[in-house]
Amino acid sequence: MRHRFSLLAFAAALVAATAVCAPLRAEPGSWADAPDKLPRVARGDRMKNLDFLFEALKVAPDADAAKLVEGRIWALWLASGSDTTDLLMSRVKTAIDGKETSLAIELLDAVVAMKPDYVEAWNRRATLYFANKDYGKSLADIRQVLAREPRHFGALSGLGIIMQEFGEEKLALEAFRRCMMGPGSRVHGASQAQVMPERNLTSAKDVLR
């Protein structure tokens, strides 16, 4: 019971500390993940490119336009800038496809030790810990992702899903809301908005104060 309370307190702190990001389009109960095919990474300053894309995502006129922008965001997040990291991440994918979760986690351990600012390694390992129902480690990795990229809608979707697993609907709703408060929320995240009743909004804010 004490361990569960600690995890919930940790998760609540994560939700409360997270900056408002771009709207989320993950399906209910799914961890938002990168598309199979990604566009070529744009040249120039990475952070400036991300800032520009997130602003574009907020004002995307429809879901198709938003999907294109999200693909470019994922492409920037997945670009490691290191041949060694890229090789290890390709082996991670092979291990995941082969249902070798333990091997994938070991490979990701090596990536985060070698390149701790590479957010996708933390995010990918968080999803694997979640799949193993190791929610404490998953939350710890989500924290690492959001410390480096507070707008990471993949990690935020994972945070909401873990709260759903705990039956903490208020915290889950607030995590999802953090990804749906931009101008584009009328377009994106509509499916996720149905996960929790709107009547929980006020109480969610109370819990997270």
Side-chain angles (χ1 to χ4, degrees), residues 141-155:
D141 277 2
I142 289 172
R143 182 181 187 180
Q144 294 292 336
V145 175
L146 297 179
R148 292 164 172 80
E149 176 50 272
R151 303 167 296 189
H152 200 292
F153 36 77

Side-chain angles (χ1 to χ4, degrees), residues 36-83:
D36 293 332
K37 294 183 178 180
L38 292 171
R40 183 174 297 179
V41 175
R43 294 181 179 179
D45 184 273
R46 180 176 176 276
M47 287 308 301
K48 287 183 178 179
N49 286 339
L50 280 171
D51 290 343
F52 173 81
L53 289 170
F54 272 104
E55 288 303 312
L57 185 58
K58 289 179 181 180
V59 298
D62 53 44
D64 288 337
K67 185 176 181 180
L68 291 174
V69 177
E70 286 182 15
R72 293 185 179 279
I73 291 172
W74 276 113
L76 283 169
W77 281 341
L78 267 65
S80 71
S82 163
D83 291 340

Side-chain angles (χ1 to χ4, degrees), residues 25-194:
R25 295 192 312 103
E27 293 299 319
S30 67
W31 195 301
D33 201 0
D36 293 332
K37 294 183 178 180
L38 292 171
R40 183 174 297 179
V41 175
R43 294 181 179 179
D45 184 273
R46 180 176 176 276
M47 287 308 301
K48 287 183 178 179
N49 286 339
L50 280 171
D51 290 343
F52 173 81
L53 289 170
F54 272 104
E55 288 303 312
L57 185 58
K58 289 179 181 180
V59 298
D62 53 44
D64 288 337
K67 185 176 181 180
L68 291 174
V69 177
E70 286 182 15
R72 293 185 179 279
I73 291 172
W74 276 113
L76 283 169
W77 281 341
L78 267 65
S80 71
S82 163
D83 291 340
T84 302
T85 298
D86 290 343
L87 176 61
L88 286 172
M89 291 302 290
S90 69
R91 291 178 177 173
V92 168
K93 185 179 185 304
T94 300
I96 292 174
D97 291 344
K99 311 291 185 187
E100 297 180 278
T101 303
S102 296
L103 174 59
I105 290 175
E106 288 180 11
L107 290 167
L108 288 166
D109 290 345
V111 175
V112 298
M114 178 179 62
K115 200 173 180 64
D117 287 335
Y118 182 51
V119 296
E120 189 52 30
W122 295 102
N123 182 57
R124 179 58 56 187
R125 195 172 68 173
T127 66
L128 295 177
Y129 282 141
F130 171 78
N132 284 347
K133 299 188 183 300
D134 194 339
Y135 301 129
K137 288 184 178 180
S138 185
L139 285 170
D141 277 2
I142 289 172
R143 182 181 187 180
Q144 294 292 336
V145 175
L146 297 179
R148 292 164 172 80
E149 176 50 272
R151 303 167 296 189
H152 200 292
F153 36 77
L156 282 163
S157 70
L159 177 57
I161 291 164
I162 290 174
M163 291 301 92
Q164 283 183 295
E165 288 289 319
F166 285 144
E168 295 293 330
E169 296 185 352
K170 297 170 185 176
L171 290 175
L173 176 62
E174 186 64 12
F176 293 134
R177 283 184 70 252
R178 299 280 171 171
C179 285
M180 296 191 295
M181 293 173 69
S185 60
R186 65 186 184 280
V187 176
H188 318 301
S191 61
Q192 200 60 272
Q194 302 302 318

